[in-house]
Amino acid sequence: MSRDNWDIPEVFRRAMEEAGWESNKGEGDQGGEGGGPRPPFPSRPQGPRRNNRNLWILAILFLLFISINWIVGIYTDWLWFNELNYQNVWLTGYGYQFFSFVAFFVVAFLILWGNWALARRRAIKDTPPYNPRFLQIGAVKWILLVGALFLSFGFASSIAVRWDEFLLFLNRVPFGTSDPIFNRDVSFYLFELPVYEALQQWLVSLLMLTMLGTLAIYAVNNAIEIQKGKWRPWESAVLRQHVALLAGVILLLWASGNVFEVFGLNYSGRGVVFGASYTDINASLYALYGQIAFMVLAALVMFVNIFRLSLRPLLVAGGLWLLTTVLVGGVYPALLQRYEVEPNELVRETPYIQYNIDFTRLGFNLDKIETREFEQVDPLNQADIAANSDVLNNIRLWDYRPLQLTYTQLQALRPYYVFGEIDIDRYNIDGEITQVMLATRELDKTRLPSLSWVNEKLEFTHGYGIVMNPVDRFTADGQPEFFIKNLPPESNIPLQVTRPEIYYGEYSNDEVFVGSDRDEFSYPSGNENVYSSYEGTGGVPLDTFLKRLAFAIKLGDTNVLLSDEINTQTRIQIHRQIQDRVRMITPFLELDSDPYIVLTEEGNLMWIQDAFTYSRLFPYATPDATTGINYIRNAVKITIDAYNGTVNYYIVDEADPIIQSYSNAFPGLFKPFSEMPENLQSHLRYPEDLFNIQTQQYLRYHMTDVRVFFNQEDVWQIPQEVFEGAQQPMEAYYVIMPLPGETKSEYLLIQPFNPTGKDNMIAWMAVRNDPENYGELVVYELPKQELVFGPLQVESRIDQEPDISQQFSLWDQGGSNVIRGNLLVIPLNNSFLYVEPIYLRADTSALPELKRVIVATDTRIAMGTSLNGALSALLLETPGDIVVEEVEGGETAVSPSTTPIDTAPLDANVEELIAAANAHFEAAQTAQQNGDWATYGAELAALEETLNRLVELTGTTP
């Protein structure tokens, strides 16, 4: 054959010439000693070899340029963690991220480049004699190398973000509880299975891409045959061997995915409950076993194809796999569900429903709830009121929503001050536990009169002070009676705010420079401002030029370098928003949405942030409808100093295996609860986010009997209440009261329950907040044969009360809006007191005023200008033992009677008892006229006792 007849497409010839290869075309181009034509193999480029040193230097400089932000980020993060003394936490977390990336990058590169380089070499050797060897072009090798590096980077990045899963896997601890189907410890599902699934999916994706690239390499080498439609890839031994090996490994990995799907049946949603059902265990499980078997068989057949072409067994194995998937995995489960399970659903599903009940209760800690019977509901009387004075003195009349507007109107004092969410807590004031509401006064820099760099970064650096008021007191104008107010903070209680500056808070979203040559604004005082200079330890010292340069690059702010007011004593405070600060240190913890401020005995301000460990992989546990989690624990309490930014972690649930695993991974990060200062322990609150999740799950999972659960006979719901004229789910609320049957008052978080579709109250849940009983959940179930009014029923009764309804209408017509606050249901002994505050807000004002208090029992409703007045009206005609004392400022307090009352002697006759009864009655009337409610209640109680003795003595009703 003559060289002129070789059919080399012009496009390939041109590409070869541009790449510097000889075209092998032209006269006088002879090859070999025999003068025969030279084969169309490209020769090496002509000309001297160039020196690539400059190119390498440019490449290195380019890499440094594009990496500068990454390098600066690493350096500044290290400085920040070092400032908090959490260097080991940073090293551990970053170490897991870095080594995960490096390890997976190396694996990905070895697989990609190893296979592609091997395919290139084998393809070159297997090139047909009449084909140009395009793969020998030097640029091809570099293209493959760069492509492998780029893809390896992407693959490594995609899985390195799951470093926390690898961390838990390597530091895992057992749960001590096994799933009921496969008898695996729960830790397998939470710590191991996610890692195995991630690796399987990652490897399948990587090998699929590797195989596609390999096929492309062999295809390029056979471009002529492809162009002519004559390429038969299965006839190429080198191609078949390589692809068969990769495909066999992919099929084995696919089979391993089916193995993981077997364990995934614990998350099935097929049955009446979450988790593996009768059909899953008796049909779907066998389908998965069949898929695994035939997929492994297909992989073995594929490996056989490495040595000889054998497609028929592969088609048979694939057909069996498909048949198993369709018939055993699809048709048979549907038939079994329809004709075996549905007619006998309770019988077939009973064990699986029980598994779901048990594991859901375990996942949400509902199995620890203590259930008590609220055996009898009695009418509320004066004796109940008198016996619960500390409860009544701490009933929350201030709703946090109107109160926030009130704080803003009365205590913001300047446009640039804002109050965050109102917090509720309790303090020991003059020996009495008093429930209070409080909020921090923080800066909103968007409202500054001048938004210059100096103002934002150097001068206006912090908020200032707190506002605090008792929950039950208000002035005649309907405003809070403040315990702490104004600037600087003024306190009329023993607690004093000695360090009012707030550098770290809920609204501190920017970075500031403290300790500079410019004084910092603290608070306004008349027509002048008061300034100060930061004296704390918070922030990274900018004591070297390198640090200033690094933070200037990080922030993209040249003023950090140019400002003459930043000196070597200046500190930069970043990540000042408290939740952002915590997430920087422990991104693996879920945070409660409401951190709250605490005024310590020393006068410092300290934030307390609740943190949760959680999972969505707890076997058989029904997920929360909102978050999707099915395991959660309030494992950690975190404190953040509002002045210095110091962050401390305390473990409050040492039994939680997840926090144990994190503690193993980060030694020294988590401290035992016993190391938390006692003055902070006394302010611990059970987080409302967790309590809300638990109460939602408990609506169904208080039913532990399978038959009752299956029939949904006793499902509960969260009651409705009225706020601003619209119904909404009732929010849980904090109270200070003793649990029924106990004598000591404690801080509780309470949530009532209704039966589904009804408005009467059927139970209520309380969680204990005081340190000695922290986190204990108690549910009181009310007698089902008695009607106990629920919140919405009381709201309806309020609407139907003529005097109250008329008053509301008058207010609405007078240009005011009536705001009905939280309706509180307060258990008192064996009775219930319902309390609802009423606010007025003028159409022309944003200042709500607390004007009335409505109280109700199961039989009566009353409204007064104070809680005391409303209670007096409510119980005026009911005998009992009550004393209502007027205190300074027109406020009221309720306490048991201590007035000594003379009673008839034990041996008194009928005449003496009648005289004593008349005397008690007249004394009660006199006391009522004088407003002496203590004597009034005591005399009524004595009258009742005397009349009872008279009945016993005479045998008749007087």
Side-chain angles (χ1 to χ4, degrees):
M1 172 185 274
S2 118
R3 182 181 60 183
D4 295 335
N5 293 328
W6 294 346
D7 188 11
I8 302 178
E10 187 62 28
V11 65
F12 293 120
R13 188 187 307 281
R14 188 179 302 113
M16 293 167 59
E17 291 175 351
E18 290 176 356
W21 301 95
E22 295 179 1
S23 66
N24 296 324
K25 183 177 181 180
E27 294 182 3
D29 188 7
Q30 303 294 324
E33 295 179 358
R38 294 181 61 183
F41 297 161
S43 60
R44 295 186 178 275
Q46 303 300 307
R49 186 171 183 173
R50 295 183 179 181
N51 189 339
N52 293 323
R53 181 181 303 172
N54 292 337
L55 292 177
W56 281 109
I57 293 174
L58 289 174
I60 292 173
L61 291 175
F62 176 74
L63 288 175
L64 286 175
F65 176 77
I66 64 175
S67 302
I68 188 66
N69 286 333
W70 177 75
I71 296 171
V72 167
I74 294 296
Y75 177 59
T76 53
D77 284 350
W78 165 258
L79 293 174
W80 186 80
F81 277 86
N82 187 64
E83 175 244 331
L84 289 170
N85 200 28
Y86 282 139
Q87 307 95 314
N88 291 335
V89 175
W90 183 86
L91 288 172
T92 300
Y94 186 76
Y96 271 93
Q97 296 178 58
F98 178 77
F99 287 113
S100 296
F101 176 84
V102 171
F104 287 108
F105 178 86
V106 170
V107 171
F109 178 75
L110 290 177
I111 291 175
L112 288 168
W113 173 244
N115 280 276
W116 291 351
L118 177 63
R120 176 175 175 270
R121 287 197 302 270
R122 289 165 60 89
I124 290 174
K125 292 180 181 180
D126 194 48
T127 303
Y130 51 82
N131 269 8
R133 297 186 177 182
F134 300 110
L135 295 177
Q136 256 189 324
I137 300 175
V140 173
K141 180 179 179 180
W142 286 103
I143 290 173
L144 294 177
L145 179 61
V146 172
L149 289 170
F150 177 78
L151 292 173
S152 298
F153 184 90
F155 272 98
S157 299
S158 69
I159 196 167
V161 296
R162 306 180 73 163
W163 64 271
D164 56 327
E165 295 180 9
F166 305 135
L167 178 144
L168 284 175
F169 176 83
L170 295 175
N171 295 277
R172 63 190 182 276
V173 298
F175 264 72
T177 300
S178 299
D179 80 278
I181 302 299
F182 306 108
N183 200 33
R184 291 271 190 165
D185 189 90
V186 170
S187 62
F188 170 78
Y189 295 93
L190 269 62
F191 302 143
E192 298 180 44
L193 189 59
V195 173
Y196 299 151
E197 289 180 327
L199 292 177
Q200 183 262 347
Q201 295 166 6
W202 185 79
L203 285 171
V204 168
S205 301
L206 177 62
L207 289 174
M208 288 288 289
L209 188 61
T210 301
M211 188 171 67
L212 290 175
T214 301
L215 284 169
I217 291 171
Y218 285 108
V220 168
N221 201 53
N222 290 271
I224 303 301
E225 283 79 0
I226 294 175
Q227 184 186 39
K228 294 181 176 182
K230 297 180 180 180
W231 190 41
R232 303 291 185 269
W234 55 85
E235 295 178 356
S236 171
V238 293
L239 172 59
R240 186 191 71 242
Q241 292 167 359
H242 199 161
V243 172
L245 177 62
L246 290 173
V249 175
I250 291 173
L251 291 176
L252 284 179
L253 288 170
W254 198 335
S256 69
N258 291 135
V259 173
F260 302 145
E261 288 183 31
V262 168
F263 296 108
L265 291 177
N266 279 317
Y267 312 111
S268 171
R270 179 195 295 272
V272 294
V273 293
F274 185 83
S277 64
Y278 179 89
T279 301
D280 290 320
I281 299 303
N282 292 278
S284 300
L285 180 60
Y286 296 109
L288 288 171
Y289 286 157
Q291 290 174 357
I292 293 169
F294 292 126
M295 190 61 67
V296 171
L297 178 61
L300 295 177
V301 172
M302 190 62 74
F303 288 138
V304 171
N305 276 268
I306 296 175
F307 306 101
R308 64 183 182 86
L309 182 63
S310 181
L311 295 179
R312 182 173 299 175
L314 182 62
L315 294 175
V316 171
L320 291 173
W321 178 87
L322 183 61
L323 192 65
T324 301
T325 302
V326 174
L327 294 182
V328 185
V331 177
Y332 175 59
L335 293 174
L336 184 67
Q337 181 72 23
R338 173 63 185 87
Y339 295 104
E340 174 67 17
V341 176
E342 289 184 9
N344 311 281
E345 197 163 29
L346 177 59
V347 176
R348 297 291 182 263
E349 300 285 10
T350 289
Y352 309 106
I353 294 174
Q354 189 64 62
Y355 299 151
N356 173 261
I357 292 173
D358 293 342
F359 276 79
T360 300
R361 289 171 62 86
L362 178 61
F364 291 95
N365 230 12
L366 306 182
D367 58 321
K368 301 289 178 38
I369 293 177
E370 180 184 356
T371 302
R372 302 178 184 178
E373 296 293 330
F374 202 93
E375 297 179 352
Q376 180 179 351
V377 180
D378 298 326
L380 187 71
N381 56 40
Q382 285 96 336
D384 297 321
I385 298 296
N388 291 278
S389 60
D390 55 342
V391 178
L392 298 173
N393 287 340
N394 284 286
I395 290 180
R396 180 167 60 84
L397 300 181
W398 282 102
D399 188 303
Y400 67 91
R401 291 159 293 193
L403 183 61
Q404 188 165 29
L405 295 174
T406 302
Y407 273 16
T408 301
Q409 291 295 312
L410 299 180
Q411 284 293 309
L413 304 179
R414 289 294 186 274
Y416 42 79
Y417 281 130
V418 293
F419 288 99
E421 187 171 338
I422 304 296
D423 297 322
I424 304 172
D425 203 351
R426 73 283 195 195
Y427 287 80
N428 190 325
I429 299 175
D430 294 327
E432 297 290 334
I433 300 300
T434 303
Q435 189 173 200
V436 303
M437 307 181 82
L438 68 163
T440 55
R441 186 186 290 106
E442 299 191 48
L443 279 176
D444 181 358
K445 294 187 180 180
T446 62
R447 301 180 181 182
L448 289 176
S450 174
L451 296 178
S452 67
W453 186 87
V454 171
N455 276 353
E456 291 188 59
K457 305 301 181 183
L458 301 181
E459 186 165 324
F460 289 86
T461 57
H462 57 275
Y464 203 87
I466 63 172
V467 175
M468 178 189 292
N469 68 285
V471 297
D472 64 321
R473 303 185 194 177
F474 57 97
T475 67
D477 295 330
Q479 298 176 2
E481 181 183 306
F482 291 110
F483 279 168
I484 300 175
K485 61 181 179 179
N486 294 341
L487 290 171
E490 300 172 1
S491 175
N492 55 20
I493 57 175
L495 291 171
Q496 301 293 324
V497 185
T498 59
R499 180 58 77 183
E501 298 91 346
I502 301 171
Y503 285 87
Y504 300 87
E506 293 181 282
Y507 286 87
S508 306
N509 296 309
D510 63 341
E511 67 283 343
V512 296
F513 300 86
V514 298
S516 67
D517 291 338
R518 176 173 287 269
D519 290 334
E520 301 166 33
F521 171 81
S522 279
Y523 60 90
S525 178
N527 295 325
E528 298 181 352
N529 294 329
V530 176
Y531 294 88
S532 64
S533 183
Y534 185 70
E535 300 174 349
T537 59
V540 177
L542 297 179
D543 48 6
T544 66
F545 177 78
L546 178 61
K547 291 181 181 180
R548 289 183 67 170
L549 176 63
F551 280 103
I553 296 173
K554 179 181 178 66
L555 301 175
D557 188 350
T558 56
N559 289 324
V560 179
L561 291 174
L562 300 177
S563 175
D564 294 333
E565 294 179 300
I566 295 178
N567 55 49
T568 57
Q569 304 300 316
T570 301
R571 293 173 174 266
I572 178 173
Q573 295 183 346
I574 57 175
H575 304 301
R576 299 192 301 133
Q577 205 282 336
I578 53 177
Q579 291 192 323
D580 173 54
R581 193 170 185 82
V582 170
R583 290 190 181 103
M584 277 292 296
I585 303 170
T586 50
F588 44 82
L589 294 177
E590 185 70 18
L591 303 183
D592 184 76
S593 61
D594 182 26
Y596 57 99
I597 196 71
V598 172
L599 175 60
T600 67
E601 294 176 356
E602 297 80 14
N604 299 322
L605 297 177
M606 191 76 67
W607 294 98
I608 295 183
Q609 171 71 66
D610 284 283
F612 312 122
T613 54
Y614 68 99
S615 177
R616 294 179 173 85
L617 299 173
F618 203 76
Y620 259 112
T622 300
D624 173 66
T626 303
T627 63
I629 64 173
N630 59 2
Y631 174 90
I632 186 169
R633 294 291 186 271
N634 178 208
V636 180
K637 298 284 186 181
I638 307 168
T639 63
I640 307 101
D641 191 302
Y643 187 71
N644 289 316
T646 308
V647 182
N648 288 296
Y649 294 78
Y650 302 94
I651 295 179
V652 292
D653 188 351
E654 296 182 352
D656 173 38
I658 296 181
I659 201 62
Q660 291 178 23
S661 300
Y662 281 128
S663 186
N664 291 340
F666 297 99
L669 172 60
F670 300 102
K671 301 176 182 179
F673 177 66
S674 58
E675 293 187 14
M676 176 181 277
E678 290 186 6
N679 65 343
L680 292 180
Q681 290 186 24
S682 62
H683 292 280
L684 294 185
R685 299 184 333 187
Y686 198 77
E688 289 187 62
D689 286 355
L690 174 58
F691 188 64
N692 291 336
I693 290 174
Q694 290 176 309
T695 53
Q696 284 292 335
Q697 291 296 103
Y698 198 72
L699 299 177
R700 293 177 61 211
Y701 285 93
H702 68 276
M703 298 180 289
T704 56
D705 181 89
V706 172
R707 181 178 295 275
V708 174
F709 187 93
F710 176 79
N711 293 320
Q712 299 291 284
E713 298 175 15
D714 191 24
V715 179
W716 298 348
Q717 67 183 16
I718 302 297
Q720 296 286 306
E721 65 174 353
V722 176
F723 180 75
E724 292 193 344
Q727 291 187 18
Q728 65 177 33
M730 186 177 189
E731 298 181 356
Y733 49 92
Y734 293 98
V735 297
I736 295 177
M737 55 169 273
L739 289 172
E742 301 185 14
T743 57
K744 182 182 178 182
S745 290
E746 54 184 306
Y747 201 46
L748 303 172
L749 181 60
I750 285 181
Q751 177 65 70
F753 297 115
N754 291 350
T756 295
K758 297 182 180 180
D759 294 327
N760 61 290
M761 191 164 64
I762 195 170
W764 56 279
M765 180 187 290
V767 60
R768 310 171 90 163
N769 291 265
D770 293 340
E772 57 270 21
N773 299 307
Y774 178 80
E776 294 181 8
L777 291 155
V778 184
V779 169
Y780 287 86
E781 296 186 354
L782 304 179
K784 295 185 178 181
Q785 68 276 10
E786 296 187 36
L787 174 65
V788 179
F789 285 114
L792 193 59
Q793 289 175 318
V794 174
E795 298 275 21
S796 299
R797 290 174 59 208
I798 292 173
D799 290 333
Q800 296 166 6
E801 182 69 24
D803 293 339
I804 296 177
S805 178
Q806 182 181 12
Q807 183 64 65
F808 286 176
S809 298
L810 290 174
W811 280 328
D812 286 333
Q813 294 170 7
S816 296
N817 296 318
V818 177
I819 302 174
R820 294 162 68 163
N822 286 128
L823 177 68
L824 306 183
V825 182
I826 310 295
L828 296 177
N829 296 344
N830 290 330
S831 305
F832 290 98
L833 175 66
Y834 304 86
V835 181
E836 183 174 72
I838 303 298
Y839 306 86
L840 287 185
R841 183 175 59 198
D843 293 338
T844 57
S845 172
L847 178 62
E849 297 177 351
L850 204 168
K851 288 299 187 182
R852 296 290 188 273
V853 179
I854 297 177
V855 295
T857 65
D858 55 340
T859 58
R860 302 190 64 193
I861 296 177
M863 182 170 71
T865 57
S866 65
L867 177 61
N868 171 68
L871 287 172
S872 299
L874 183 75
L875 302 174
L876 185 61
E877 299 178 4
T878 305
D881 181 16
I882 180 172
V883 51
V884 183
E885 299 175 335
E886 292 296 327
V887 298
E888 183 179 356
E891 300 299 333
T892 59
V894 184
S895 59
S897 173
T898 57
T899 305
I901 302 297
D902 294 331
T903 58
L906 296 177
D907 57 350
N909 55 32
V910 174
E911 290 76 12
E912 290 174 329
L913 288 174
I914 292 174
N918 289 329
H920 289 312
F921 177 76
E922 293 174 359
Q925 293 293 325
T926 302
Q928 182 183 15
Q929 294 172 1
N930 295 333
D932 186 357
W933 299 108
T935 305
Y936 172 74
E939 292 289 356
L940 286 180
L943 174 60
E944 182 180 21
E945 179 188 357
T946 303
L947 292 176
N948 289 335
R949 290 173 58 188
L950 189 59
V951 170
E952 293 175 359
L953 187 61
T954 62
T956 60
T957 302

